Amino acid sequence: MLTVTPIPAFTDNYIWMLQNENNQAVIVDPGDAQVVINALDENQLNLVAILITHHHYDHTDGVRALCEKYSIPVYGPKDSKFNGISQTLNDGDNVEVLGHSFKIKSIPGHTLDHISYLYDDPSSPLIFCGDTLFLAGCGRVFEGTMGQMLSAMHYFKSLDKKTKVYCTHEYSLNNLAFAHTVEPDNIDIKDKIVQCKKLRKQNLPTLPSTIENELLINPFLRCDVLNVKQHASAYATQPLDSELGVFSTIRQWKNVF
Ligand SMILES: [Zn+2]
């Protein structure tokens, strides 16, 4: 049995903490060490490993201090610009932590080194997707191509619908405002806006999401839906025939939203 808890960091990051029944913990993307140390101490947990999704500082800056305090492996992508990784992972690898296996998928786009960690337990699957998939959104395409990012979206679409999606930023309300602009008639988006506003009023996270939910509300997973295609074409002032054309248009549209 795995429990996953968010540790809020910076202005809108979540550092995810996994723990098992033996009080062992694994931290995903520790951008800040102190908030992690506080959470471990408060819950009397033993840190046994760190998982890194990509090299950005807000996902990696706490690694050095944590490794000085705890002698632990740091799992992360090969060929990363971050040099604190001790166990490099390739696409298709499986990594064992807390007695459970996580499947590695290379999902370049946001960065070239970006990977995700899938726990595909049939009863409670979950994925750590870093800055690639957000609730109702996706990450900016900084280093890779639009085509690579669209391939990452196809990977998420292929997962079990029950899969819980652990994104690393609280961007949900802004993403939903954009999703509503792309699909003004989508009832699921409207409902989700109401739900997320309630949660944020109580200062609660809107995450995790699920693949099932994202398939209904996330425009970046819905580039093949006629309504999304039509609104993207109107924005681009030309008919967009390919899914990649639609994806690229709405990603650029979101950049200036
Ligand atoms: Zn990032």
Side-chain angles (χ1 to χ4, degrees):
M1 178 63 185
L2 286 173
T3 311
V4 189
T5 316
I7 304 171
F10 309 115
T11 48
D12 53 28
N13 283 66
Y14 293 122
I15 298 169
W16 294 104
M17 178 169 73
L18 279 108
Q19 65 186 87
N20 63 12
E21 54 283 343
N22 302 321
N23 292 333
Q24 293 178 316
V26 165
I27 295 289
V28 185
D29 286 354
D32 180 26
Q34 196 54 53
V35 290
V36 171
I37 292 167
N38 294 347
L40 293 167
D41 289 351
E42 275 164 29
N43 297 283
Q44 296 180 307
L45 297 171
N46 236 339
L47 184 60
V48 296
I50 289 172
L51 306 180
I52 298 294
T53 61
H54 68 294
H55 68 82
H56 283 158
Y57 79 95
D58 60 323
H59 297 250
T60 54
D61 262 13
V63 170
R64 186 184 295 266
L66 289 171
C67 286
E68 280 166 10
K69 191 168 159 65
Y70 311 89
S71 185
I72 48 166
V74 180
Y75 295 93
K78 64 161 189 181
D79 301 329
S80 179
K81 289 179 187 168
F82 173 57
N83 62 12
I85 294 163
S86 64
Q87 316 284 326
T88 55
L89 300 169
N90 292 294
D91 184 56
D93 281 354
N94 284 290
V95 55
E96 286 278 331
V97 290
L98 303 175
H100 298 280
S101 183
F102 287 75
K103 196 173 228 168
I104 306 308
K105 176 73 180 169
S106 176
I107 44 168
H110 176 69
T111 61
L112 287 175
D113 66 343
H114 208 305
I115 58 172
S116 62
Y117 296 81
L118 173 70
Y119 174 58
D120 59 358
D121 178 81
S123 62
S124 54
L126 61 91
I127 190 164
F128 296 104
C129 56
D131 283 352
T132 299
L133 187 65
F134 293 120
L135 189 150
C138 77
R140 281 182 187 251
V141 180
F142 284 126
E143 295 178 4
T145 63
M146 291 290 184
Q148 285 176 318
M149 198 62 158
L150 180 58
S151 296
M153 298 301 116
H154 287 160
Y155 170 64
F156 295 123
K157 284 170 83 163
S158 76
L159 300 176
D160 184 330
K161 284 186 180 179
K162 285 199 305 290
T163 308
K164 285 187 179 166
V165 178
Y166 289 89
C167 328
T168 44
H169 287 276
E170 182 57 69
Y171 290 161
S172 305
L173 284 175
N174 180 280
N175 286 342
L176 284 163
F178 177 69
H180 177 62
T181 304
V182 177
E183 285 190 90
D185 302 325
N186 184 322
I187 305 263
D188 297 303
I189 293 173
K190 289 181 191 168
D191 288 349
K192 199 70 193 170
I193 290 173
V194 174
Q195 267 178 42
C196 288
K197 276 188 176 163
K198 266 189 200 156
L199 289 167
R200 294 310 296 150
K201 255 190 193 157
Q202 301 167 69
N203 209 24
L204 293 171
T206 58
L207 305 171
S209 185
T210 61
I211 293 297
E212 183 168 33
N213 182 54
E214 292 310 306
L215 291 172
L216 296 172
I217 65 167
N218 193 320
F220 299 99
L221 297 183
R222 295 170 58 79
C223 294
D224 52 349
V225 171
L226 185 62
N227 207 12
V228 174
K229 205 172 168 178
Q230 285 170 342
H231 280 92
S233 298
Y235 179 79
T237 63
Q238 58 172 310
L240 299 168
D241 295 322
S242 71
E243 193 184 358
L244 180 58
V246 174
F247 178 83
S248 306
T249 298
I250 61 172
R251 186 52 265 182
Q252 282 157 4
W253 183 3
K254 176 67 169 64
N255 289 348
V256 295
F257 179 72

